[in-house]
Amino acid sequence: GKGKDAVGHEINPELRLMDALMLVVDAFSPQSNPAEYIPNLIAEMILDDLAIVENNIDKKTKKMKLTGDKSSARELELLELCKSHLESEKPLIDIDFAPEDEKMLRGYTFLSQKPLLLVLNIAEEDIPEAERWYEKYAHYVSPGKCDVAVVCGKIEAELVSLDPEDRAAFMADLGIKKPAVELVVQKAYALLGLISFLTVGKPEARAWTIRKGSTALQAAGAIHSDIEKGFIRAEVTSYEDYITYKTPAALKAAGKTRLEGKEYIVRDGDVMLFRFNV
């Protein structure tokens, strides 16, 4: 469906293809009203999903009556559950579907079932009040479902043009703890259940994205299928230790590098070297 958002803009159908949604909200201009805009937009997503649910319930019910085919019975039950939930003005992400049921509904790509990151774009003079802005909208925060980030877009644009030392000094003067890009990426990763591990050395140092809870074997597969097939072991160092000791020799001398097997659960920031044989 081509619904419209809270201010009358058409909702882009391509949003349904995204794994998560990020809503940047005007919290700096005199006419801004995030407290009204945010719930209105969520309500529009719920209504858009409801239209899809009702349309498919109608189609599948008619088909079942005409053909007698009961294969869609469970899907219809799930759609009716979705309908009831949406009619209660609640997003579908609040429903904890069983894996097989979630897979059955995946093709509908419901908007209200996607994790949502609310980014409040505040004025420069409100930077000291960033924590207060966060607390005002913290009731939206729910792990894996919704998070809130408070940034000042104007200042962040200026930070990009500065060299690292000047940027750090500028951030300290303004009381900015973390650059917006870093903050938004970290919150987006957490919402999607993603982490990064690192590989270093020739030809490059690189971060690899995997799902939280992945094993060392799955991490190896993220790099190349041959590494996964021939996996022997992984040499693992925490990011903090790597930054502190700097060289492989110093890390090993301090006992900070350990050997892990296939079932090791990779931690965010692990620096990994895979030993494999093909």
Side-chain angles (χ1 to χ4, degrees):
K2 290 188 177 181
K4 294 180 182 294
D5 69 13
V7 291
H9 297 136
E10 188 174 287
I11 295 175
N12 190 337
E14 291 185 5
L15 289 177
R16 295 191 172 278
L17 304 179
M18 303 297 107
D19 292 327
L21 301 176
M22 182 173 69
L23 174 63
V24 181
V25 183
D26 175 3
F28 63 86
S29 67
Q31 68 271 22
S32 68
N33 189 0
E36 181 178 334
Y37 182 83
I38 293 171
N40 282 352
L41 186 87
I42 293 173
E44 291 295 341
M45 292 193 294
I46 289 171
L47 287 172
D48 207 53
D49 286 347
L50 182 57
I52 290 175
V53 167
E54 290 176 337
N55 185 44
N56 279 276
I57 287 175
D58 186 52
K59 286 181 179 178
K60 291 185 181 299
T61 301
K62 288 179 179 177
K63 183 178 179 181
M64 189 178 294
K65 288 180 179 178
L66 285 172
T67 64
D69 183 2
K70 304 288 186 181
S71 61
S72 297
R74 177 55 183 166
E75 192 171 340
L76 263 173
E77 288 179 8
L78 292 172
L79 289 172
E80 290 287 358
L81 173 62
C82 291
K83 180 183 177 183
S84 176
H85 194 80
L86 292 166
E87 286 178 337
S88 299
E89 301 179 357
K90 298 175 183 177
L92 293 177
I93 199 169
D94 289 344
I95 303 178
D96 293 323
F97 291 105
E100 60 272 18
D101 290 338
E102 191 277 330
K103 185 177 180 180
M104 191 174 291
L105 293 174
R106 195 173 297 160
Y108 292 103
T109 58
F110 294 123
L111 288 174
S112 72
Q113 199 175 20
K114 299 180 185 298
L116 179 63
L117 178 58
L118 302 171
V119 180
L120 296 168
N121 187 10
I122 62 174
E124 182 178 348
E125 58 267 24
D126 283 340
I127 290 176
E129 300 296 319
E131 192 63 31
R132 181 181 62 81
W133 274 98
Y134 177 85
E135 291 300 331
K136 185 176 179 180
Y137 294 93
H139 59 281
Y140 283 107
V141 177
S142 179
K145 298 177 181 180
C146 187
D147 205 348
V148 175
V150 181
V151 305
C152 176
K154 180 181 177 182
I155 294 299
E156 292 294 335
E158 294 180 23
L159 286 174
V160 173
S161 64
L162 300 176
D163 62 51
E165 288 186 8
D166 289 340
R167 186 182 305 136
F170 191 33
M171 288 172 58
D173 287 343
L174 291 172
I176 298 174
K177 297 178 181 178
K178 189 174 293 186
V181 171
E182 185 178 336
L183 178 67
V184 168
V185 168
Q186 288 180 348
K187 286 181 177 284
Y189 262 49
L191 280 174
L192 289 168
L194 301 175
I195 62 171
S196 294
F197 71 92
L198 307 169
T199 54
V200 297
K202 296 180 180 180
E204 62 180 355
R206 179 169 171 177
W208 304 84
T209 300
I210 55 175
R211 293 215 164 268
K212 186 177 181 180
S214 294
T215 63
L217 187 64
Q218 291 169 323
I223 300 175
H224 199 286
S225 58
D226 285 348
I227 302 177
E228 183 177 15
K229 290 176 184 176
F231 183 100
I232 299 172
R233 64 180 184 272
E235 294 183 13
V236 183
T237 308
S238 74
Y239 176 79
E240 292 77 12
D241 286 338
Y242 194 89
I243 294 300
T244 300
Y245 292 91
K246 296 181 175 60
T247 67
L251 285 162
K252 288 182 179 180
K256 298 299 182 179
T257 297
R258 61 189 187 279
L259 298 179
E260 300 288 358
K262 295 179 180 180
E263 300 304 315
Y264 168 72
I265 302 301
V266 181
R267 299 172 187 170
D268 191 34
D270 275 350
V271 181
M272 306 185 75
L273 173 64
F274 295 99
R275 303 296 184 185
F276 66 102
N277 183 32
V278 291

